[in-house]
Amino acid sequence: MTAKTDWPDLAGRMVEGAHVLPVRIYFEDTDFSGLVYHAAYLRFMERGRSDMIRLMGVSHEALASGTYGEPLAFAVRRMEIDFFRPARIDDLIEVHTKAVHAAGARIVLEQAVRLGETDLVTAKVTVVIINLEGKARRMPATLRSTLGMPEE
């Protein structure tokens, strides 16, 4: 088995306070026209959000196991998405993710799926921290600190 350190960019990288995740477009990501199917962008953005918190030191396993108090998870509460241009098979795109606001149980992120310098899709995403019964929870101070988010 290959050690995690052998794949330095598997989870992307942090660049100037934002997370950047490279994604290659495969046949499975496209529709009958050969363009990326709109719902595939949601998967790419989910990977960007998940890998961003992973690189910041928070794993989904740690959240679910109760490391920060009770077992917790992040859930998408709201998304505003704009589709500008399509990606195509074999394109190498980047998913850029940046947290712009945190309060209570919410984190608001801005995401952009880019081909070079061109925005293909942009989104404003609100995620909330919930317990395993689905109830919103104020973000624990230790989690807030690990994610580098200021106190309210």
Side-chain angles (χ1 to χ4, degrees), residues 74-134:
F74 284 108
V76 171
R77 166 73 171 88
R78 179 179 174 83
M79 293 184 91
E80 297 174 36
I81 303 173
D82 286 309
F83 297 89
F84 301 108
R85 298 179 188 273
R88 293 176 165 74
I89 195 163
D90 291 332
D91 281 350
L92 184 58
I93 61 174
E94 291 181 337
V95 179
H96 293 249
T97 305
K98 183 173 185 163
V100 294
H101 179 74
R106 294 179 302 127
I107 301 173
V108 178
L109 304 116
E110 290 177 349
Q111 293 192 278
V113 179
R114 296 182 179 143
L115 179 61
E117 297 298 316
T118 302
D119 284 348
L120 304 178
V121 177
T122 61
K124 182 175 179 181
V125 183
T126 301
V127 296
V128 293
I129 190 121
I130 59 171
N131 66 15
L132 298 187
E133 287 77 47

Side-chain angles (χ1 to χ4, degrees), residues 53 57-73 143 146:
I53 67 163
V58 178
S59 72
H60 289 289
E61 183 180 348
L63 281 171
S65 70
T67 298
Y68 299 96
E70 67 181 308
L72 299 167
L143 178 58
T146 301

